[in-house]
Every structure is written in structure tokens, then in C-alpha cells.
Amino acid sequence: SSSSSFSSTARSPTLIVASAVESSWVSSASPRTNMAPAMPPLGSAVRVAGVLAVLAAQCCDALVAEGVVALPGNGTIFLTKFCYTYELEDLRHRAGIVNLTVHLPVESHRHHAHVLLFDDEDHSYPGPSDEWNAMSCQQRTQHARVSQRIDWVAASGLEGQRIAFDIEQKLRPRWWYIAIAECSDAGEDLLVEYQMHATNTGYGWAVEFSTDKRFMPHVFAALLVVYACLSLAQLHSNRAVALRAKDDSANGKAAHPFAQILTAGVLLALGDSLFSALHLAVFASNGVGLAWVQVLSQLLSVTANFVLASLLLLVSQGKCISYVMIANDAWSMLRLLGPFLVSCFFLEMWGESSVSRNYDTNYVYTTPVGWALIFVDLLLLSIYATGLRKTYKAEHSPDVAVFYSRWGVVYGLWFLVLPVTALLAQLVLAPYAWLIVSTVAKKGVT
């Protein structure tokens, strides 16, 4: 085991030192405090509202963040979390940096606020729990890996107070949480304006990415290539099926709407991959990305999933294969799948923007609402399996029956991706691994 120390140098000669004993790895964070480049101070309520509007427009995965928080007396507010990589060989090379600039109102001299850094160790911050909620502000401060007092003179000046933390750790990636605590009881909330930037310095061009998102650009770049090829192939196939439909054959007329729906689903998935790759490319350059592009990609993803799930359920009923599809079939799919997929969309949007995600690393589908949606997903699987079984028994063509018995079972695996990834996230995967694993699983099976 070894110990790690944290030191800080403020404007007045102040030294804050804490230590922790760990086994088989070392983790440390050293804060450096100085005056930030000139920035305008807190202005009118209009400016505060503007900052809040900008913050609301940003997604919570933004690693360049700013905002205004009202810190209650004896309270702690988590600003964000970030997963840092680790250095196996030489701890002299830092894993990452947190740069934080804090502004306080001039009349806040009665308050005693601190910037706290926690990691995901049990003795630091293991996650939200009743035990954590019952702790006093002083107890939470003692659990922090490093505590840096906010200098009222510097933070209330025009330039604000800038605090930089160097993150050094060994053994594995860890989540770090940046929080502000106010342990005095001044009788009023403390209004804190902050700007923050966290980076993984060893990631080269990907320094802006948290470890859990490190390979997301690679995944969506690969998906973009795959869906581009699938789109070209499907458009070519669609033309061939359209020609068959002109022959006035029953098979051609049945296959034509199926091919059109499938083509729409592939093109929607291509758009999702394109906009996701664009968002991640911009994110790599500025740590924020394009919020509207990310939302658009998620909408396209939900729509593509609706098309795919509709096709699967239509196949289980024999539509477009054994029977001709009619307009009422599409409306029945919308009524059946619409609420489920819209709920999934809003759950994932909540996972990106909710304040609770600043201090919680759980997979969104392992929350109570997430488990309820997984239950609905399994109900859809049972509807699919029941319909497929009835269609198989009623089918008179041996070739088509083989299709239902072979590919129908394979297609049903799509409904199992969500519950399987949720179970892996709950029981097996490390908190920094579930995002990439669930993305690859869902997109790959799709």
C-alpha cells in the first residue's frame, strides 16, 4: 500500500494536506489556485438567467460546463463527474486536469465554501445512499480526497478564483466528482457562478472525452461506414423489388411495402450515425459538441428503432411475406410501439441532462423507470414470439415456414438486447464500461 497527498497554494500562504492509504494503486489530486484571466463579474438577473439558459441547452456530458448554483447553508452540490484514465508505469505523468473558476457575490464574506473532489472509492464517495444523505457538511468534507477553500477576496473580485487539480491514479479508470460545499449557517443561500473544464491529458486528440466515452467516436465512425454500405445495397434492392411489383404478382406486391419500410429504417439509422459522428467530432474539439445535433441523432435513432420493431412484429404476423400489408397494420404498430419508444427516448434524454447524473453512474435502464421499460420490452418479445408461433403453424409453404423457424428466432434476439445490457450493467460491468458495451450491443444487433 502507499499514501497519496494533496497540497494547494492559495493567494495567502495556506497549505491544505490530506492523506489516504490505499492498496495496490495510488490516486492523487493536487490543486493549484491563482487568479483567472479577466472575466466580467456577476451582473444583473438577466445575465444569471442567460447563463442558466445556456446551461440548460447543454447536455450533461459536456466537459466544458458553466452555470450558477444556489448553495444552501450546510449543503453540498455536485457540479459534474468525469471518468479519468490511469497511468500504470509512471505516476509523474498526470492522468488528467480539472480547471475550475469560481465567482462569488461581494456580500458573501459570511460564508465558508469549499471545492471538494471525491473519487468512486467506498471511503470517498461510493454513490448516492441513505448513509451519504445523512452526513453533515463537515463529514462529507472529510470524505473528500481533496478540499480547497474558496478565497472570498479572490472569488468576489472581477477575475474570480481559479483552481486547478492534477489527477494522478493507478490500477484502473475512476470516476471523480467535483462538488461545492458550504459548511457555515449564514441563513441564506450562497450564489456561486462557475466555469469548469475537465480533460484526460493522455488521450491525445480525444482529451475532451471521459474514459467511458473514449471509443464512442470509433464506434459511430464504423457504424457510419456500415450503414452507408447498407443504404446503397438496400436502395439497389428496393429498385429490384419495385420492378417485381410491376409484374402484377402477389409476391411482388407484398414485398414492395416491406422493402420500402426497410429502406426507410436503414436511411434513418444512417442519419443517426452521421449526426452522432458529427456531434462527437465537434465535442473532440471543444468539449461541448452540438446539443441540437445530438438531440436530432437520438430522434432519428428512436424513429429507426420504431421502423425496425414494426417490421419485426409485422413479420411475426406474416405481413409482407405470407399476407399483404394494409394501412391499418401501420397504425396498430404505432399504437403498440409508440409509447414504449417515446418513453425510452425521454429516459435517455433524462440520462443526459438530469442533475442527478452529476453524482450517479448507474445505467439509466437500471433505474426504476428503466426496469419498467425493460418489462414492457419483454412483453413485446412475448407478443412477437406468440405471433411468430401462430404464423408458423398456419404457413403452408415449406420454404416460408423454414424462414419463420430460422430467421424469426434470430430476429427475436433484438428484443433481448435491452434487458441483457441492463443486467450486465447491474451485475458485471464497471460503471465506466456499460456505455460503450450497451451502445455496441444495441447498434450491433440492430
Side-chain angles (χ1 to χ4, degrees):
S1 65
S2 57
S3 64
S4 59
S5 62
F6 317 95
S7 62
S8 66
T9 305
R11 286 181 54 185
S12 57
T14 304
L15 183 65
I16 301 176
V17 179
S19 63
V21 177
E22 305 163 352
S23 59
S24 74
W25 67 280
V26 179
S27 172
S28 67
S30 301
R32 306 185 303 273
T33 307
N34 51 42
M35 301 297 287
M39 295 182 62
L42 280 174
S44 64
V46 174
R47 182 179 176 215
V48 175
V51 173
L52 290 173
V54 171
L55 182 62
Q58 293 177 347
C59 293
C60 117
D61 65 350
L63 307 181
V64 177
E66 62 180 10
V68 178
V69 294
L71 188 60
N74 292 311
T76 304
I77 291 181
F78 285 84
L79 302 181
T80 192
K81 67 179 187 292
F82 191 74
C83 189
Y84 284 97
T85 186
Y86 63 101
E87 178 60 51
L88 280 175
E89 298 178 356
D90 189 358
L91 279 178
R92 292 176 297 177
H93 297 126
R94 60 195 177 192
I97 302 174
V98 181
N99 288 305
L100 178 66
T101 302
V102 180
H103 295 268
L104 296 181
V106 176
E107 64 275 8
S108 62
H109 59 89
R110 298 191 305 272
H111 297 268
H112 298 89
H114 293 76
V115 176
L116 307 179
L117 238 65
F118 303 91
D119 65 15
D120 60 9
E121 284 191 283
D122 290 340
H123 61 77
S124 182
Y125 179 68
S129 64
D130 294 337
E131 180 182 0
W132 173 264
N133 293 334
M135 289 183 184
S136 65
C137 181
Q138 289 79 6
Q139 289 174 320
R140 294 179 180 180
T141 302
Q142 292 171 0
H143 278 258
R145 299 305 306 274
V146 60
S147 172
Q148 170 65 48
R149 182 170 180 175
I150 298 177
D151 185 343
W152 171 77
V153 176
S156 61
L158 294 178
E159 299 175 344
Q161 180 184 7
R162 180 179 177 182
I163 305 171
F165 298 96
D166 292 338
I167 307 296
E168 298 174 0
Q169 61 186 5
K170 202 172 182 181
L171 185 62
R172 70 169 178 84
R174 287 193 178 276
W175 286 98
W176 288 75
Y177 307 86
I178 299 94
I180 295 181
E182 209 285 280
C183 293
S184 65
D185 192 5
E188 59 183 9
D189 292 350
L190 175 62
L191 195 65
V192 181
E193 181 185 12
Y194 68 92
Q195 297 86 34
M196 182 167 41
H197 189 193
T199 55
N200 266 309
T201 54
Y203 279 171
W205 63 269
V207 294
E208 302 290 347
F209 287 94
S210 180
T211 297
D212 62 318
K213 297 181 175 68
R214 169 67 176 87
F215 293 105
M216 294 296 281
H218 304 77
V219 170
F220 279 99
L223 286 171
L224 182 59
V225 173
V226 170
Y227 275 116
C229 296
L230 283 175
S231 298
L232 292 175
Q234 186 57 39
L235 288 171
H236 174 74
S237 177
N238 201 34
R239 286 192 294 268
V241 172
L243 291 175
R244 286 179 55 192
K246 293 180 180 180
D247 297 338
D248 202 30
S249 64
N251 288 338
K253 290 183 177 180
H256 186 45
F258 188 95
Q260 288 180 320
I261 297 172
L262 182 57
T263 302
V266 172
L267 292 175
L268 287 167
L270 174 64
D272 168 32
S273 300
L274 176 62
F275 285 111
S276 295
L278 174 62
H279 165 70
L280 292 169
V282 176
F283 189 97
S285 65
N286 63 12
V288 177
L290 299 172
W292 68 270
V293 171
Q294 185 181 19
V295 173
L296 180 59
S297 70
Q298 289 176 314
L299 283 172
L300 290 173
S301 177
V302 169
T303 309
N305 286 337
F306 168 75
V307 172
L308 176 60
S310 298
L311 282 178
L312 294 179
L313 292 173
L314 288 171
V315 166
S316 71
Q317 298 171 8
K319 299 301 176 68
C320 300
I321 298 176
S322 301
Y323 312 103
V324 176
M325 176 182 171
I326 60 177
N328 189 54
D329 294 328
W331 286 111
S332 64
M333 291 298 104
L334 181 60
R335 290 192 297 268
L336 179 62
L337 295 173
F340 168 70
L341 292 173
V342 169
S343 299
C344 289
F345 169 75
F346 282 109
L347 178 64
E348 293 180 7
M349 288 299 297
W350 170 81
E352 293 288 344
S353 60
S354 173
V355 173
S356 66
R357 308 308 294 172
N358 292 340
Y359 53 82
D360 191 357
T361 59
N362 291 328
Y363 187 30
V364 291
Y365 285 100
T366 59
T367 62
V369 176
W371 286 119
L373 290 176
I374 288 174
F375 177 74
V376 175
D377 178 73
L378 293 175
L379 285 179
L380 292 174
L381 174 60
S382 68
I383 294 173
Y384 172 85
T386 301
L388 186 66
R389 184 171 178 270
K390 291 181 179 179
T391 302
Y392 173 76
K393 286 186 174 183
E395 181 57 49
H396 300 292
S397 171
D399 292 337
V400 178
V402 170
F403 169 81
Y404 287 131
S405 64
R406 180 181 302 169
W407 290 106
V409 174
V410 174
Y411 296 157
L413 296 177
W414 185 82
F415 293 99
L416 292 175
V417 174
L418 193 57
V420 168
T421 54
L423 286 175
L424 288 175
Q426 183 77 20
L427 303 175
V428 179
L429 297 175
Y432 56 84
W434 62 254
L435 176 63
I436 189 71
V437 171
S438 63
T439 302
V440 171
K442 289 189 290 187
K443 300 294 184 180
V445 173
T446 298

